Short mmCIF file of all heavy atoms in Angstrom, two decimals:
data_model
loop_
_atom_site.label_atom_id
_atom_site.label_comp_id
_atom_site.label_asym_id
_atom_site.label_seq_id
_atom_site.Cartn_x
_atom_site.Cartn_y
_atom_site.Cartn_z
N ALA H 920 22.60 -40.82 5.83
CA ALA H 920 23.23 -40.64 4.55
C ALA H 920 24.71 -40.50 4.60
O ALA H 920 25.42 -40.86 3.63
CB ALA H 920 22.63 -39.41 3.94
N ALA H 921 25.23 -39.99 5.75
CA ALA H 921 26.74 -39.95 5.90
C ALA H 921 27.34 -41.15 6.31
O ALA H 921 28.55 -41.36 6.47
CB ALA H 921 27.00 -38.87 6.96
N GLY H 922 26.59 -42.31 6.44
CA GLY H 922 27.09 -43.63 6.81
C GLY H 922 26.94 -43.97 8.16
O GLY H 922 27.44 -45.12 8.58
N HIS H 923 26.28 -43.22 9.00
CA HIS H 923 26.23 -43.48 10.53
C HIS H 923 24.91 -44.30 10.58
O HIS H 923 23.88 -43.73 11.09
CB HIS H 923 26.17 -42.21 11.32
CG HIS H 923 27.46 -41.38 11.19
ND1 HIS H 923 28.70 -41.90 11.46
CD2 HIS H 923 27.56 -40.19 10.57
CE1 HIS H 923 29.54 -40.92 11.11
NE2 HIS H 923 28.94 -39.87 10.66
N PHE H 924 24.86 -45.55 10.33
CA PHE H 924 23.68 -46.42 10.26
C PHE H 924 23.18 -46.74 11.62
O PHE H 924 22.08 -47.30 11.66
CB PHE H 924 23.90 -47.65 9.44
CG PHE H 924 24.37 -47.34 8.02
CD1 PHE H 924 25.56 -47.89 7.57
CD2 PHE H 924 23.57 -46.60 7.14
CE1 PHE H 924 26.00 -47.63 6.13
CE2 PHE H 924 23.90 -46.38 5.89
CZ PHE H 924 25.19 -46.82 5.42
N SER H 925 24.05 -46.56 12.68
CA SER H 925 23.40 -46.81 14.10
C SER H 925 22.61 -45.74 14.60
O SER H 925 22.04 -45.86 15.67
CB SER H 925 24.64 -46.98 14.89
OG SER H 925 25.43 -45.83 14.96
N LYS H 926 22.40 -44.51 13.72
CA LYS H 926 21.58 -43.34 14.26
C LYS H 926 20.08 -43.90 14.30
O LYS H 926 19.59 -44.53 13.34
CB LYS H 926 21.75 -42.36 13.29
CG LYS H 926 21.10 -40.98 13.67
CD LYS H 926 21.62 -40.39 14.95
CE LYS H 926 21.07 -39.18 15.33
NZ LYS H 926 21.59 -38.46 16.46
N LYS H 927 19.47 -43.56 15.41
CA LYS H 927 18.02 -43.86 15.60
C LYS H 927 17.26 -42.56 15.98
O LYS H 927 17.84 -41.66 16.53
CB LYS H 927 17.88 -44.91 16.64
CG LYS H 927 18.53 -46.28 16.42
CD LYS H 927 18.00 -47.00 15.19
CE LYS H 927 18.71 -48.35 14.90
NZ LYS H 927 18.29 -48.99 13.82
N VAL H 928 16.03 -42.72 15.60
CA VAL H 928 15.09 -41.64 15.88
C VAL H 928 14.30 -42.06 17.20
O VAL H 928 13.45 -42.99 17.00
CB VAL H 928 14.21 -41.24 14.82
CG1 VAL H 928 13.27 -39.95 15.16
CG2 VAL H 928 14.95 -40.89 13.50
N ASN H 929 14.50 -41.28 18.30
CA ASN H 929 13.62 -41.71 19.47
C ASN H 929 12.42 -41.01 19.48
O ASN H 929 12.14 -40.11 20.33
CB ASN H 929 14.58 -41.34 20.68
CG ASN H 929 14.01 -41.88 22.02
OD1 ASN H 929 13.22 -42.90 21.95
ND2 ASN H 929 14.40 -41.22 23.07
N ILE H 930 11.45 -41.27 18.68
CA ILE H 930 10.13 -40.84 18.62
C ILE H 930 9.04 -41.93 18.69
O ILE H 930 9.13 -42.73 17.87
CB ILE H 930 9.92 -39.94 17.30
CG1 ILE H 930 10.87 -38.67 17.33
CG2 ILE H 930 8.46 -39.43 17.38
CD1 ILE H 930 10.79 -37.89 16.06
N LYS H 931 8.21 -41.92 19.71
CA LYS H 931 7.26 -43.01 19.91
C LYS H 931 5.88 -42.38 19.58
O LYS H 931 5.62 -41.24 19.58
CB LYS H 931 7.30 -43.57 21.39
CG LYS H 931 8.64 -43.85 21.84
CD LYS H 931 9.24 -45.11 21.03
CE LYS H 931 10.54 -45.60 21.62
NZ LYS H 931 11.17 -46.62 20.74
N GLY H 932 4.89 -43.28 19.22
CA GLY H 932 3.55 -42.89 18.88
C GLY H 932 2.99 -43.69 17.78
O GLY H 932 3.82 -44.31 17.02
N GLU H 933 1.78 -43.70 17.77
CA GLU H 933 0.98 -44.47 16.62
C GLU H 933 0.59 -43.49 15.54
O GLU H 933 -0.09 -44.00 14.60
CB GLU H 933 -0.23 -45.00 17.25
CG GLU H 933 0.13 -46.07 18.40
CD GLU H 933 0.94 -47.24 17.85
OE1 GLU H 933 0.80 -47.65 16.73
OE2 GLU H 933 1.81 -47.87 18.74
N ASP H 934 0.82 -42.16 15.68
CA ASP H 934 0.31 -41.22 14.63
C ASP H 934 1.37 -41.31 13.43
O ASP H 934 2.28 -42.11 13.36
CB ASP H 934 0.35 -39.89 15.16
CG ASP H 934 1.61 -39.27 15.79
OD1 ASP H 934 2.57 -40.11 15.71
OD2 ASP H 934 1.62 -38.25 16.31
N GLU H 935 1.14 -40.36 12.41
CA GLU H 935 1.96 -40.49 11.21
C GLU H 935 3.43 -40.14 11.58
O GLU H 935 4.35 -40.76 10.87
CB GLU H 935 1.42 -39.47 10.22
CG GLU H 935 0.19 -39.88 9.65
CD GLU H 935 -1.07 -39.58 10.43
OE1 GLU H 935 -0.92 -39.15 11.58
OE2 GLU H 935 -2.30 -39.81 9.95
N LEU H 936 3.74 -39.22 12.51
CA LEU H 936 5.21 -38.91 12.87
C LEU H 936 5.75 -40.21 13.50
O LEU H 936 6.97 -40.52 13.30
CB LEU H 936 5.18 -37.75 13.76
CG LEU H 936 4.79 -36.43 13.15
CD1 LEU H 936 4.84 -35.31 14.21
CD2 LEU H 936 5.79 -36.06 12.06
N GLY H 937 5.06 -40.80 14.39
CA GLY H 937 5.62 -42.08 14.99
C GLY H 937 5.92 -43.18 13.90
O GLY H 937 6.87 -43.84 14.02
N GLN H 938 4.92 -43.26 13.03
CA GLN H 938 5.20 -44.25 11.92
C GLN H 938 6.31 -43.95 11.08
O GLN H 938 7.06 -44.81 10.64
CB GLN H 938 3.83 -44.47 11.12
CG GLN H 938 2.66 -44.98 11.92
CD GLN H 938 1.37 -44.91 11.21
OE1 GLN H 938 1.39 -44.54 9.93
NE2 GLN H 938 0.33 -45.35 11.77
N LEU H 939 6.45 -42.57 10.79
CA LEU H 939 7.59 -42.24 9.94
C LEU H 939 8.95 -42.48 10.67
O LEU H 939 9.94 -42.80 10.09
CB LEU H 939 7.44 -40.75 9.55
CG LEU H 939 8.63 -40.10 8.72
CD1 LEU H 939 8.68 -40.73 7.39
CD2 LEU H 939 8.41 -38.57 8.49
N ALA H 940 8.91 -42.22 12.01
CA ALA H 940 10.11 -42.45 12.74
C ALA H 940 10.52 -43.93 12.77
O ALA H 940 11.74 -44.32 12.62
CB ALA H 940 9.95 -41.97 14.19
N SER H 941 9.44 -44.76 12.81
CA SER H 941 9.62 -46.20 12.85
C SER H 941 10.24 -46.71 11.50
O SER H 941 11.12 -47.54 11.43
CB SER H 941 8.41 -47.01 13.12
OG SER H 941 7.93 -46.67 14.40
N ALA H 942 9.62 -46.10 10.45
CA ALA H 942 10.18 -46.37 9.14
C ALA H 942 11.69 -45.99 8.91
O ALA H 942 12.44 -46.73 8.30
CB ALA H 942 9.31 -45.67 8.05
N ILE H 943 12.01 -44.72 9.44
CA ILE H 943 13.46 -44.40 9.31
C ILE H 943 14.33 -45.25 10.20
O ILE H 943 15.52 -45.64 9.74
CB ILE H 943 13.57 -42.93 9.91
CG1 ILE H 943 12.85 -41.90 8.80
CG2 ILE H 943 15.06 -42.53 10.07
CD1 ILE H 943 12.75 -40.42 9.32
N ASN H 944 13.87 -45.67 11.29
CA ASN H 944 14.69 -46.75 12.22
C ASN H 944 14.88 -47.97 11.44
O ASN H 944 15.95 -48.64 11.49
CB ASN H 944 14.01 -46.81 13.55
CG ASN H 944 14.17 -45.66 14.34
OD1 ASN H 944 15.05 -44.74 14.19
ND2 ASN H 944 13.32 -45.48 15.32
N TYR H 945 13.69 -48.48 10.83
CA TYR H 945 13.83 -49.67 10.02
C TYR H 945 14.77 -49.56 8.85
O TYR H 945 15.53 -50.40 8.52
CB TYR H 945 12.45 -50.05 9.60
CG TYR H 945 12.42 -51.29 8.67
CD1 TYR H 945 12.52 -52.54 9.19
CD2 TYR H 945 12.22 -51.22 7.32
CE1 TYR H 945 12.52 -53.69 8.51
CE2 TYR H 945 12.20 -52.38 6.56
CZ TYR H 945 12.36 -53.55 7.00
OH TYR H 945 12.36 -54.63 6.27
N MET H 946 14.63 -48.35 8.10
CA MET H 946 15.58 -48.07 7.05
C MET H 946 17.09 -48.21 7.43
O MET H 946 17.93 -48.70 6.83
CB MET H 946 15.32 -46.81 6.37
CG MET H 946 16.25 -46.39 5.20
SD MET H 946 15.94 -44.65 4.77
CE MET H 946 16.48 -43.79 6.14
N SER H 947 17.34 -47.54 8.69
CA SER H 947 18.61 -47.54 9.17
C SER H 947 19.19 -48.92 9.51
O SER H 947 20.32 -49.25 9.17
CB SER H 947 18.66 -46.63 10.46
OG SER H 947 19.95 -46.67 11.05
N SER H 948 18.42 -49.71 10.03
CA SER H 948 18.77 -51.14 10.42
C SER H 948 19.06 -51.90 9.08
O SER H 948 19.92 -52.66 8.96
CB SER H 948 17.61 -51.77 11.24
OG SER H 948 17.41 -51.22 12.37
N GLU H 949 18.17 -51.81 8.07
CA GLU H 949 18.35 -52.36 6.85
C GLU H 949 19.61 -52.01 6.04
O GLU H 949 20.38 -52.74 5.60
CB GLU H 949 17.10 -52.25 5.94
CG GLU H 949 15.85 -52.95 6.44
CD GLU H 949 16.13 -54.49 6.53
OE1 GLU H 949 16.47 -55.05 5.58
OE2 GLU H 949 15.81 -55.01 7.63
N LEU H 950 19.79 -50.69 6.17
CA LEU H 950 21.14 -50.15 5.56
C LEU H 950 22.35 -50.63 6.31
O LEU H 950 23.36 -50.95 5.67
CB LEU H 950 20.96 -48.60 5.57
CG LEU H 950 20.10 -48.00 4.53
CD1 LEU H 950 20.03 -46.43 4.80
CD2 LEU H 950 20.48 -48.27 3.10
N ALA H 951 22.23 -50.81 7.57
CA ALA H 951 23.32 -51.35 8.34
C ALA H 951 23.61 -52.79 8.03
O ALA H 951 24.70 -53.19 7.79
CB ALA H 951 23.02 -51.23 9.87
N LYS H 952 22.54 -53.66 7.74
CA LYS H 952 22.69 -54.85 7.27
C LYS H 952 23.28 -55.03 5.86
O LYS H 952 24.23 -55.75 5.59
CB LYS H 952 21.37 -55.66 7.29
CG LYS H 952 20.71 -55.89 8.62
CD LYS H 952 19.46 -56.60 8.54
CE LYS H 952 18.71 -56.73 9.87
NZ LYS H 952 17.34 -57.33 9.82
N LEU H 953 22.85 -54.06 5.05
CA LEU H 953 23.39 -54.02 3.68
C LEU H 953 24.83 -53.59 3.62
O LEU H 953 25.70 -54.12 2.77
CB LEU H 953 22.63 -53.09 2.72
CG LEU H 953 21.19 -53.51 2.43
CD1 LEU H 953 20.44 -52.40 1.63
CD2 LEU H 953 21.24 -54.72 1.51
N ASP H 954 25.10 -52.70 4.53
CA ASP H 954 26.66 -52.25 4.60
C ASP H 954 27.42 -53.31 5.12
O ASP H 954 28.54 -53.58 4.61
CB ASP H 954 26.75 -51.08 5.54
CG ASP H 954 28.09 -50.48 5.62
OD1 ASP H 954 28.60 -50.00 4.62
OD2 ASP H 954 28.59 -50.48 6.83
N GLN H 955 26.97 -54.26 6.19
CA GLN H 955 27.71 -55.31 6.66
C GLN H 955 27.88 -56.29 5.48
O GLN H 955 29.02 -56.97 5.42
CB GLN H 955 27.03 -55.90 7.82
CG GLN H 955 27.79 -56.93 8.53
CD GLN H 955 29.17 -56.43 9.02
OE1 GLN H 955 29.29 -55.43 9.63
NE2 GLN H 955 30.23 -57.26 8.76
N MET H 956 26.75 -56.56 4.72
CA MET H 956 26.81 -57.44 3.74
C MET H 956 27.90 -57.06 2.57
O MET H 956 28.72 -57.81 2.01
CB MET H 956 25.51 -57.71 2.92
CG MET H 956 24.50 -58.51 3.85
SD MET H 956 22.79 -58.37 3.20
CE MET H 956 23.16 -59.25 1.73
N ARG H 957 27.94 -55.66 2.36
CA ARG H 957 28.90 -55.21 1.42
C ARG H 957 30.36 -55.42 1.95
O ARG H 957 31.25 -55.86 1.10
CB ARG H 957 28.63 -53.71 1.19
CG ARG H 957 29.68 -52.96 0.24
CD ARG H 957 29.36 -51.55 0.23
NE ARG H 957 29.59 -50.93 1.56
CZ ARG H 957 30.67 -50.52 1.97
NH1 ARG H 957 31.87 -50.69 1.29
NH2 ARG H 957 30.82 -49.93 3.19
N ARG H 958 30.52 -55.16 3.17
CA ARG H 958 31.87 -55.37 3.84
C ARG H 958 32.16 -56.81 3.74
O ARG H 958 33.46 -57.08 3.31
CB ARG H 958 31.86 -54.94 5.24
CG ARG H 958 31.73 -53.37 5.39
CD ARG H 958 31.60 -53.08 6.86
NE ARG H 958 31.29 -51.68 6.94
CZ ARG H 958 32.11 -50.58 7.14
NH1 ARG H 958 33.45 -51.00 6.95
NH2 ARG H 958 31.91 -49.39 7.20
N ASP H 959 31.30 -57.78 4.01
CA ASP H 959 31.56 -59.17 3.98
C ASP H 959 31.84 -59.58 2.51
O ASP H 959 32.66 -60.42 2.35
CB ASP H 959 30.31 -59.94 4.57
CG ASP H 959 30.09 -59.67 6.00
OD1 ASP H 959 31.10 -59.32 6.59
OD2 ASP H 959 29.03 -60.02 6.47
N LEU H 960 31.07 -58.97 1.55
CA LEU H 960 31.28 -59.34 0.21
C LEU H 960 32.72 -59.09 -0.24
O LEU H 960 33.37 -59.88 -0.95
CB LEU H 960 30.26 -58.62 -0.66
CG LEU H 960 30.43 -58.85 -2.28
CD1 LEU H 960 30.21 -60.28 -2.56
CD2 LEU H 960 29.45 -58.04 -2.92
N ILE H 961 33.12 -57.83 0.15
CA ILE H 961 34.51 -57.36 -0.25
C ILE H 961 35.55 -58.37 0.39
O ILE H 961 36.52 -58.74 -0.31
CB ILE H 961 34.73 -55.91 0.17
CG1 ILE H 961 33.75 -54.93 -0.68
CG2 ILE H 961 36.13 -55.52 -0.04
CD1 ILE H 961 33.78 -53.51 -0.19
N ALA H 962 35.30 -58.55 1.72
CA ALA H 962 36.29 -59.42 2.37
C ALA H 962 36.39 -60.84 1.73
O ALA H 962 37.42 -61.39 1.49
CB ALA H 962 35.93 -59.52 3.86
N ASN H 963 35.20 -61.40 1.59
CA ASN H 963 35.13 -62.76 0.93
C ASN H 963 35.69 -62.85 -0.46
O ASN H 963 36.38 -63.68 -0.77
CB ASN H 963 33.69 -63.26 1.00
CG ASN H 963 33.30 -63.65 2.30
OD1 ASN H 963 33.87 -64.49 2.99
ND2 ASN H 963 32.09 -63.02 2.80
N VAL H 964 35.31 -61.81 -1.33
CA VAL H 964 35.85 -61.83 -2.71
C VAL H 964 37.37 -61.64 -2.68
O VAL H 964 38.10 -62.27 -3.40
CB VAL H 964 35.18 -60.76 -3.48
CG1 VAL H 964 35.92 -60.48 -4.81
CG2 VAL H 964 33.73 -60.96 -3.67
N SER H 965 37.83 -60.70 -1.72
CA SER H 965 39.27 -60.52 -1.63
C SER H 965 39.98 -61.83 -1.26
O SER H 965 41.01 -62.11 -1.75
CB SER H 965 39.55 -59.42 -0.62
OG SER H 965 38.92 -58.08 -1.07
N HIS H 966 39.33 -62.49 -0.33
CA HIS H 966 39.93 -63.70 0.26
C HIS H 966 39.88 -64.83 -0.90
O HIS H 966 40.98 -65.52 -1.23
CB HIS H 966 39.20 -64.19 1.41
CG HIS H 966 39.67 -65.68 1.77
ND1 HIS H 966 40.89 -65.87 2.43
CD2 HIS H 966 39.05 -66.85 1.67
CE1 HIS H 966 40.99 -67.12 2.74
NE2 HIS H 966 39.90 -67.74 2.25
N GLU H 967 38.85 -64.93 -1.69
CA GLU H 967 38.71 -65.88 -2.73
C GLU H 967 39.66 -65.68 -3.87
O GLU H 967 40.15 -66.52 -4.57
CB GLU H 967 37.25 -65.95 -3.31
CG GLU H 967 36.26 -66.45 -2.28
CD GLU H 967 36.55 -67.95 -1.94
OE1 GLU H 967 37.11 -68.67 -2.87
OE2 GLU H 967 36.21 -68.46 -0.87
N LEU H 968 39.95 -64.24 -4.06
CA LEU H 968 40.78 -63.91 -5.19
C LEU H 968 42.29 -64.07 -4.82
O LEU H 968 43.12 -64.43 -5.69
CB LEU H 968 40.57 -62.41 -5.72
CG LEU H 968 39.25 -62.17 -6.40
CD1 LEU H 968 39.08 -60.77 -6.64
CD2 LEU H 968 39.21 -62.93 -7.73
N ARG H 969 42.57 -63.75 -3.53
CA ARG H 969 43.96 -63.87 -3.14
C ARG H 969 44.74 -65.14 -3.37
O ARG H 969 45.83 -65.30 -3.87
CB ARG H 969 44.12 -63.42 -1.68
CG ARG H 969 45.50 -63.17 -1.18
CD ARG H 969 45.47 -62.81 0.30
NE ARG H 969 44.90 -61.60 0.58
CZ ARG H 969 43.79 -61.30 1.20
NH1 ARG H 969 43.16 -62.52 1.71
NH2 ARG H 969 43.20 -60.20 1.42
N THR H 970 43.95 -66.33 -2.90
CA THR H 970 44.61 -67.55 -2.92
C THR H 970 44.95 -68.01 -4.35
O THR H 970 46.07 -68.32 -4.71
CB THR H 970 43.74 -68.59 -2.19
OG1 THR H 970 43.53 -68.24 -0.81
CG2 THR H 970 44.42 -69.91 -2.28
N PRO H 971 43.99 -68.06 -5.21
CA PRO H 971 44.33 -68.39 -6.61
C PRO H 971 45.46 -67.54 -7.26
O PRO H 971 46.21 -68.08 -8.10
CB PRO H 971 43.02 -68.42 -7.45
CG PRO H 971 42.14 -67.61 -6.56
CD PRO H 971 42.56 -67.73 -5.19
N LEU H 972 45.21 -66.16 -7.13
CA LEU H 972 46.15 -65.28 -7.75
C LEU H 972 47.59 -65.58 -7.10
O LEU H 972 48.55 -65.35 -7.90
CB LEU H 972 45.74 -63.79 -7.49
CG LEU H 972 44.51 -63.40 -8.21
CD1 LEU H 972 44.13 -61.93 -7.74
CD2 LEU H 972 44.74 -63.38 -9.74
N SER H 973 47.68 -65.70 -5.80
CA SER H 973 49.02 -66.04 -5.28
C SER H 973 49.58 -67.31 -5.95
O SER H 973 50.76 -67.36 -6.29
CB SER H 973 48.90 -66.25 -3.79
OG SER H 973 48.49 -65.10 -3.11
N LEU H 974 48.75 -68.38 -6.06
CA LEU H 974 49.32 -69.69 -6.65
C LEU H 974 49.59 -69.45 -8.16
O LEU H 974 50.67 -69.79 -8.49
CB LEU H 974 48.24 -70.72 -6.52
CG LEU H 974 47.84 -71.20 -5.14
CD1 LEU H 974 46.72 -72.12 -5.16
CD2 LEU H 974 49.04 -71.83 -4.58
N ILE H 975 48.77 -68.64 -8.82
CA ILE H 975 49.09 -68.44 -10.26
C ILE H 975 50.46 -67.65 -10.37
O ILE H 975 51.22 -68.01 -11.29
CB ILE H 975 47.96 -67.60 -10.91
CG1 ILE H 975 46.70 -68.58 -11.04
CG2 ILE H 975 48.45 -67.19 -12.27
CD1 ILE H 975 45.54 -67.93 -11.62
N ARG H 976 50.56 -66.59 -9.54
CA ARG H 976 51.78 -65.86 -9.70
C ARG H 976 53.05 -66.62 -9.24
O ARG H 976 54.06 -66.61 -9.87
CB ARG H 976 51.65 -64.63 -8.66
CG ARG H 976 52.91 -63.73 -8.76
CD ARG H 976 52.68 -62.54 -7.97
NE ARG H 976 53.90 -61.62 -7.91
CZ ARG H 976 54.03 -60.50 -7.39
NH1 ARG H 976 52.89 -60.02 -6.75
NH2 ARG H 976 55.16 -59.73 -7.49
N GLY H 977 52.88 -67.47 -8.16
CA GLY H 977 53.99 -68.18 -7.66
C GLY H 977 54.52 -69.13 -8.66
O GLY H 977 55.70 -69.25 -8.94
N TYR H 978 53.58 -70.02 -9.28
CA TYR H 978 53.96 -70.98 -10.23
C TYR H 978 54.36 -70.32 -11.66
O TYR H 978 55.22 -70.92 -12.29
CB TYR H 978 52.73 -72.05 -10.47
CG TYR H 978 52.62 -72.89 -9.34
CD1 TYR H 978 51.50 -72.80 -8.44
CD2 TYR H 978 53.50 -74.00 -9.07
CE1 TYR H 978 51.37 -73.66 -7.43
CE2 TYR H 978 53.38 -74.83 -8.00
CZ TYR H 978 52.30 -74.71 -7.17
OH TYR H 978 51.97 -75.53 -6.11
N SER H 979 53.77 -69.30 -12.00
CA SER H 979 54.14 -68.55 -13.09
C SER H 979 55.67 -68.11 -13.02
O SER H 979 56.43 -68.23 -13.93
CB SER H 979 53.32 -67.42 -13.43
OG SER H 979 51.97 -67.86 -13.67
N GLU H 980 55.98 -67.47 -11.87
CA GLU H 980 57.39 -66.98 -11.76
C GLU H 980 58.34 -68.13 -11.68
O GLU H 980 59.43 -68.06 -12.16
CB GLU H 980 57.37 -66.21 -10.28
CG GLU H 980 56.75 -64.91 -10.44
CD GLU H 980 56.75 -64.11 -9.09
OE1 GLU H 980 57.14 -64.81 -8.05
OE2 GLU H 980 56.29 -62.98 -9.10
N ALA H 981 57.81 -69.27 -11.02
CA ALA H 981 58.81 -70.47 -11.05
C ALA H 981 59.07 -70.95 -12.44
O ALA H 981 60.29 -71.27 -12.82
CB ALA H 981 58.21 -71.53 -10.21
N LEU H 982 57.96 -71.00 -13.32
CA LEU H 982 58.22 -71.35 -14.72
C LEU H 982 59.12 -70.40 -15.42
O LEU H 982 60.04 -70.74 -16.15
CB LEU H 982 56.86 -71.60 -15.38
CG LEU H 982 56.02 -72.82 -14.85
CD1 LEU H 982 54.69 -72.67 -15.48
CD2 LEU H 982 56.72 -74.03 -15.19
N LYS H 983 58.78 -69.15 -15.13
CA LYS H 983 59.54 -68.08 -15.77
C LYS H 983 61.11 -68.12 -15.47
O LYS H 983 62.01 -67.91 -16.30
CB LYS H 983 58.99 -66.65 -15.52
CG LYS H 983 59.83 -65.50 -16.25
CD LYS H 983 59.13 -64.12 -15.72
CE LYS H 983 59.98 -63.05 -16.29
NZ LYS H 983 59.42 -61.73 -15.91
N ASP H 984 61.38 -68.29 -14.25
CA ASP H 984 62.84 -68.19 -13.76
C ASP H 984 63.51 -69.51 -14.03
O ASP H 984 64.73 -69.54 -13.76
CB ASP H 984 62.85 -67.85 -12.31
CG ASP H 984 62.25 -66.63 -11.81
OD1 ASP H 984 62.18 -65.79 -12.82
OD2 ASP H 984 61.87 -66.34 -10.69
N GLY H 985 62.81 -70.56 -14.53
CA GLY H 985 63.41 -71.78 -14.80
C GLY H 985 63.86 -72.63 -13.58
O GLY H 985 64.78 -73.48 -13.67
N VAL H 986 63.11 -72.33 -12.56
CA VAL H 986 63.47 -73.04 -11.38
C VAL H 986 63.16 -74.61 -11.55
O VAL H 986 63.92 -75.56 -11.00
CB VAL H 986 62.68 -72.48 -10.12
CG1 VAL H 986 62.84 -73.38 -8.83
CG2 VAL H 986 63.01 -71.06 -9.88
#
Side-chain angles (χ1 to χ4, degrees):
H923 304 295
F924 301 121
S925 61
K926 184 70 176 180
K927 301 294 181 184
V928 182
N929 189 23
I930 298 175
K931 307 297 182 182
E933 300 297 329
D934 57 3
E935 287 80 0
L936 289 177
Q938 293 173 4
L939 180 59
S941 298
I943 291 176
N944 290 336
Y945 176 74
M946 177 189 69
S947 175
S948 299
E949 291 301 308
L950 287 175
K952 293 178 182 178
L953 289 175
D954 184 64
Q955 187 60 44
M956 290 172 63
R957 178 185 62 85
R958 295 173 185 272
D959 292 342
L960 176 63
I961 293 174
N963 283 309
V964 170
S965 299
H966 175 74
E967 292 295 332
L968 289 174
R969 184 182 298 112
T970 301
L972 287 175
S973 299
L974 290 173
I975 291 172
R976 181 175 180 177
Y978 286 109
S979 298
E980 289 178 349
L982 292 173
K983 179 183 176 182
D984 295 339
V986 175

